Amino acid sequence: MAVEMELSGNWNYPTAIRFGAGRIGELADVCRDLGMKRPLLVTDPGLAALPMIADAAAGCRAAGLVCEVFADVQGNPVAKNVDDGVAVFRAGGHDGVIAFGGGSALDVGKAVALMVGQTRPIWDFEDREDWYTRVDVEGMAPVVAVPTTSGTGSEVGRASVITDERDHTKKIIFHPRMLPAQVIADPELTLGLPPNITAAVGMDALSHNLEAFCSPFYHPLAQGIALEGIRLVKDWLPTACREGDNVKARSHMMAASTMGAAAFQKGLGAMHALSHPLGAVLDIHHGLTNAVVMPCVLVFNRSAIEEKMTALARYLDLPDPAFQAVVDWILALREEIGVPADLAALGLREDQIGQLARMAAVDPSAGSNPLPLTEENLTTLYQMALQGRIG
Ligand SMILES: [Fe+2]
């Protein structure tokens, strides 16, 4: 008789990860391991209202830590959210950050921990050339990351995506030490996510694995992680959407999300280049925009990814394993989990495409797409996605 694998473990790449149901109970220990006595817990207002956050803060206090909650974080977070968090960190004499939540809270928490030690403005640390060397590393605060959705994988990322309100662009703030020193990945924290959010963030995780898998750069470690990440999404995302309290499905989706972010240092591509302007300008959920553009981008890239898609189709055990089988699987998955098929349904208008295409062409993700991206072909991709056309 086969023995059921226990979905729990201590992993050490890309950082220290305590993975498994119930492991949020180790939060105070993890904070103490990093030398924190006064952690600032950064989260979003929705989560701050749930017992999950009150319980975590109470657990820290019971262990003798001084723990304050900062929850002034919006979806598609802006620099003001980071500035406000830095002010609260300094006023409270905090010595570390617990970044607790979905991508927005994790990104703001990581950026607060960076910025508490800097005198330059945040935009001086954008991910360009060697700008990260401007960071005063000594001043950075340690971070424990606790993801509560399975999508962004920001808990294992070395960057935060922050929107610059001056020109409505999403900018990547990067430093290698922004990788949280410790992660608690507890799939039980995701049991309450409604099906539509589970679907949207799950499609973000899929897009990270898929774009990393398709990226033309040589990175066999990331390639292997991405392939298995895609399989976990295929096997478990529908169950996670249908049975929200299925811990096994939630565990595998949390792993797939972490794997996506570990894989995408190999590169993202047109899905994210198209998605970032939609989030920055129209404030549409990042996972949904990725899901809508996903099949269009695969078809656009077909000539460069045909062999990879055939290998993927074989690994996923799809019928007639070839390029079209992967596209058909994604279309069926999207329908099964209730993700919209066009950007019009998400509020995009034709007259906005010109501005978005100009932004997408200079997005940092554009450079690792398998085929070169231009304002012209990105305009075509937006038009296809607007109407839900694939070919
Ligand atoms: Fe993403």
Side-chain angles (χ1 to χ4, degrees):
M1 194 177 79
V3 177
E4 185 86 352
M5 184 178 16
E6 192 191 352
L7 303 179
S8 179
N10 294 343
W11 304 338
N12 288 295
Y13 68 81
T15 187
I17 303 174
R18 299 190 186 201
F19 188 98
R23 300 199 69 178
I24 190 61
E26 299 170 31
L27 179 60
D29 289 345
V30 169
C31 288
R32 267 200 300 257
D33 286 352
L34 292 175
M36 295 183 200
K37 294 189 176 71
R38 303 176 67 87
L40 178 66
L41 192 160
V42 176
T43 189
D44 66 55
L47 281 173
L50 298 178
M52 189 193 298
I53 295 296
D55 291 349
C60 287
R61 290 180 194 124
L65 303 173
V66 175
C67 182
E68 191 182 353
V69 174
F70 170 76
D72 205 356
V73 171
Q74 65 194 70
N76 292 316
V78 296
K80 183 176 188 310
N81 301 143
V82 179
D83 295 342
D84 291 348
V86 168
V88 170
F89 185 100
R90 288 181 177 148
H94 293 286
D95 55 10
V97 169
I98 302 168
F100 200 131
S104 303
L106 294 178
D107 279 5
V108 170
K110 287 159 61 185
V112 167
L114 167 74
M115 292 305 297
V116 291
Q118 315 305 321
T119 49
R120 287 167 171 262
I122 190 167
W123 307 124
D124 281 9
F125 307 121
E126 209 188 325
D127 189 12
R128 290 173 183 271
E129 295 142 30
D130 63 350
W131 286 15
Y132 73 91
T133 59
R134 298 165 166 179
V135 166
D136 177 358
V137 176
E138 287 298 300
M140 291 175 72
V143 177
V144 178
V146 185
T148 61
T149 65
S150 295
T152 69
S154 179
E155 68 276 7
V156 295
R158 301 173 300 162
S160 291
V161 182
I162 306 291
T163 297
D164 186 345
E165 281 181 306
R166 295 169 307 178
D167 57 2
H168 294 280
T169 55
K170 284 199 168 193
K171 291 187 174 154
I172 297 174
I173 307 303
F174 168 83
H175 191 277
R177 295 261 301 257
M178 287 177 78
L179 178 67
Q182 296 267 359
V183 175
I184 296 180
D186 182 344
E188 282 186 352
L189 300 178
T190 67
L191 296 186
L193 280 182
N196 61 328
I197 303 290
T198 303
V201 296
M203 292 304 279
D204 189 26
L206 175 59
S207 71
H208 296 154
N209 284 297
L210 200 51
E211 292 215 281
F213 187 75
C214 293
S215 141
F217 298 120
Y218 180 68
H219 196 325
L221 288 80
Q223 195 72 359
I225 291 171
L227 182 61
E228 176 66 357
I230 297 166
R231 184 190 71 83
L232 288 173
V233 172
K234 173 179 178 281
D235 287 358
W236 296 101
L237 180 55
T239 309
C241 292
R242 208 172 44 239
E243 304 167 23
D245 58 357
N246 185 318
V247 176
K248 192 170 173 182
R250 295 294 195 178
S251 296
H252 289 309
M253 281 309 300
M254 185 159 266
S257 163
T258 300
M259 292 163 79
F264 77 56
Q265 56 171 276
K266 181 168 178 275
L268 290 169
M271 293 172 205
H272 277 76
L274 292 161
S275 264
H276 288 148
L278 289 162
V281 176
L282 300 169
D283 209 24
I284 306 175
H285 192 285
H286 174 73
L288 287 181
T289 54
N290 278 324
V292 172
V293 303
M294 190 175 285
C296 311
V297 168
L298 290 178
V299 169
F300 170 79
N301 285 329
R302 179 169 185 162
S303 63
I305 61 172
E306 188 106 41
E307 278 179 38
K308 280 179 179 162
M309 289 298 98
T310 302
L312 173 62
R314 286 206 191 95
Y315 188 65
L316 296 179
D317 205 15
L318 298 175
D320 303 320
F323 177 85
Q324 193 57 41
V326 177
V327 174
D328 290 345
W329 159 59
I330 288 168
L331 293 174
L333 171 68
R334 253 185 9 186
E335 197 170 318
E336 181 176 5
I337 63 177
V339 169
D342 58 73
L343 290 175
L346 298 177
L348 178 68
R349 297 188 321 264
E350 173 91 43
D351 64 311
Q352 294 169 314
I353 288 178
Q355 180 200 2
L356 297 177
R358 278 191 295 282
M359 294 168 74
V362 295
D363 188 90
S365 303
S368 44
N369 191 66
L371 291 178
L373 295 173
T374 62
E375 219 176 292
E376 290 68 37
N377 58 33
L378 287 160
T379 299
T380 306
L381 279 166
Y382 275 125
Q383 280 164 344
M384 289 166 65
L386 176 72
Q387 301 158 357
R389 281 187 291 119
I390 289 158

